[in-house]
Amino acid sequence: MKLEQKIEKKIERTLSKVKLFKKKTILVALSGGKDSATTAYMFRKLGYKIEGFHIDLGMGDYSKRCLSAVVKLCEILEIPLYIYDIKNEMGSSMCYLRTSIQKKHFEKQRGEIKNCAICGVIKKWILNKRARELGFEIIATGHNLDDEAQTFLMNVLKGAPELSANTGVVTKNILNKKFIPRVKPLFYIDEDEIRKFTLEKKLPVVYEGCPCLIDSYRKQVREWIYKNLTTRDKENLIKNFEKLQSRMKSIKSSELVYCEICGEPSRGGVCKKCKLFT
Ligand code: AMP
Ligand code: ZN
């Protein structure tokens, strides 16, 4: 079977489990990378209505290349694109935000806080808020099998596997009207296959990794997985974890409340984004 067909079949199977409606327009979070480009390409091919969403993180040339790749992709796929500039959203570029947050955490002796953790929290916060304001009821991201295996292993190694309790192809919270559900169509697809696919299709994609992924724990786990685990191992890891998930859910409450500071969905009194800034 051709790679494109193989990926398409896997995505169809994944989406059939989550009953995604073709009538509803999906907002695809596009980073400029191969995963979100594949997500958008395949949604279009499968007849879903989609629109693109990109946050310009203001990280020099790298961000400029990402923005240009996203603009080209949306032209090819003939879909509208919403672009948000982090400087308008949060007051400064991601590099500056990270440095000031890390400095403050260090001064207050709150321990180390990694680049990717800060960036991930801020991106999710903007994405959820803006998608809701734009009237979307579902968001899609490009997370793949390797991302999911990494996150799961990192949580296990941290001694907190329950942090993965609410992850899956769909993340939703029916009790919280402000939380826009997210779907990950590439949940079971190996990163190498996605890379080969976008190269084969010559999709406009930035292949270099984020310049801020230095010395991160995720990077170490990612390299270990790449060197030591086969696709089958990664699939088994995720599938075995899914078997345990229903039991974990009873341990960790999935109830979301609203942040006391910004009013966005939160697991505690103050959301993760606002905690970074206090
Ligand atoms: P990452 O957090 O870089 O691992 O990216 C995970 C997913 O989040 C990507 O596949 C995209 O769907 C989304 N994403 C990451 N960065 C951006 C961005 N700058 N703008 C919009 N979506 C993004
Ligand atoms: Zn908040």
Side-chain angles (χ1 to χ4, degrees):
M1 200 193 291
K2 272 171 62 187
L3 181 61
E4 181 163 355
Q5 279 172 299
K6 191 177 161 194
I7 293 180
E8 195 178 326
K9 286 266 160 308
K10 272 195 190 173
I11 292 180
E12 267 188 312
R13 218 177 308 137
T14 306
L15 294 179
S16 70
K17 282 194 219 151
V18 300
K19 299 191 182 65
L20 214 55
F21 296 115
K22 290 199 174 168
K23 272 184 274 168
K24 282 206 177 130
T25 309
I26 302 160
L27 186 65
V28 184
L30 298 169
S31 62
K34 61 188 187 324
D35 308 303
S36 46
T38 302
T39 306
Y41 180 94
M42 282 297 177
F43 265 140
R44 272 303 254 154
K45 193 168 182 209
L46 292 168
Y48 287 88
K49 276 198 269 177
I50 58 165
E51 298 188 5
F53 180 98
H54 177 69
I55 308 167
D56 180 349
L57 300 171
M59 299 184 338
D61 259 11
Y62 173 74
S63 288
K64 285 187 190 142
R65 283 198 293 280
C66 289
L67 175 63
S68 142
V70 170
V71 170
K72 270 190 219 138
L73 180 77
C74 292
E75 278 168 13
I76 295 170
L77 299 180
E78 297 178 345
I79 58 167
L81 169 65
Y82 301 95
I83 302 168
Y84 287 88
D85 187 328
I86 188 110
K87 292 186 202 108
N88 297 332
E89 299 300 301
M90 310 299 296
S92 37
S93 74
M94 186 56 88
C95 303
Y96 182 80
L97 287 173
R98 262 193 307 244
T99 318
S100 54
I101 289 168
Q102 280 164 334
K103 187 166 167 273
K104 197 181 60 218
H105 272 243
F106 179 74
E107 283 164 3
K108 293 191 174 175
Q109 298 186 326
R110 289 204 204 144
E112 196 190 0
I113 175 156
K114 305 275 186 191
N115 284 354
C116 299
I118 298 175
C119 186
V121 166
I122 294 178
K123 280 190 297 197
K124 265 190 209 162
W125 186 90
I126 298 173
L127 179 60
N128 187 70
K129 187 166 187 278
R130 292 300 183 192
R132 191 180 66 241
E133 287 167 3
L134 292 167
F136 288 92
E137 289 175 35
I138 181 99
I139 294 168
T141 61
H143 292 92
N144 61 38
L145 180 63
D146 291 65
D147 296 325
E148 297 306 317
Q150 276 159 36
T151 306
F152 175 59
L153 263 189
M154 281 165 68
N155 287 338
V156 170
L157 294 170
K158 268 194 271 182
E162 71 280 6
L163 290 179
S164 293
N166 295 315
T167 59
V169 176
V170 174
T171 314
K172 64 179 170 188
N173 190 301
I174 44 167
L175 298 173
N176 194 311
K177 297 271 179 288
K178 283 185 155 185
F179 182 81
I180 310 299
R182 291 194 294 262
V183 63
K184 300 171 183 170
L186 309 185
F187 197 84
Y188 298 108
I189 304 183
D190 196 294
E191 187 164 9
D192 264 347
E193 289 186 340
I194 299 167
R195 187 177 299 106
K196 280 184 201 136
F197 171 73
T198 50
L199 286 168
E200 219 176 84
K201 281 275 155 202
K202 298 192 173 59
L203 292 181
V205 160
V206 174
Y207 286 98
E208 73 201 73
C210 171
C212 298
L213 184 69
I214 27 170
D215 197 27
S216 106
Y217 187 42
R218 183 173 280 275
K219 192 176 174 202
Q220 290 168 32
V221 175
R222 180 197 174 110
E223 278 162 14
W224 184 85
I225 290 179
Y226 192 77
K227 282 192 202 129
N228 297 288
L229 300 189
T230 62
T231 303
R232 179 57 60 87
D233 290 332
K234 286 180 265 188
E235 280 170 358
N236 284 343
L237 191 71
I238 290 299
K239 285 181 180 156
N240 289 330
F241 159 66
E242 283 174 330
K243 286 188 205 154
L244 293 171
Q245 226 178 3
S246 56
R247 273 193 270 167
M248 280 181 168
K249 278 197 173 118
S250 60
I251 303 172
K252 190 174 190 296
S253 157
S254 62
E255 197 187 329
L256 281 175
V257 291
Y258 300 105
C259 172
E260 289 160 14
I261 299 174
C262 69
E264 289 297 303
S266 166
R267 289 200 191 286
V270 177
C271 79
K272 283 188 188 168
K273 189 277 288 178
C274 290
K275 270 192 195 140
L276 291 175
F277 290 91
T278 49

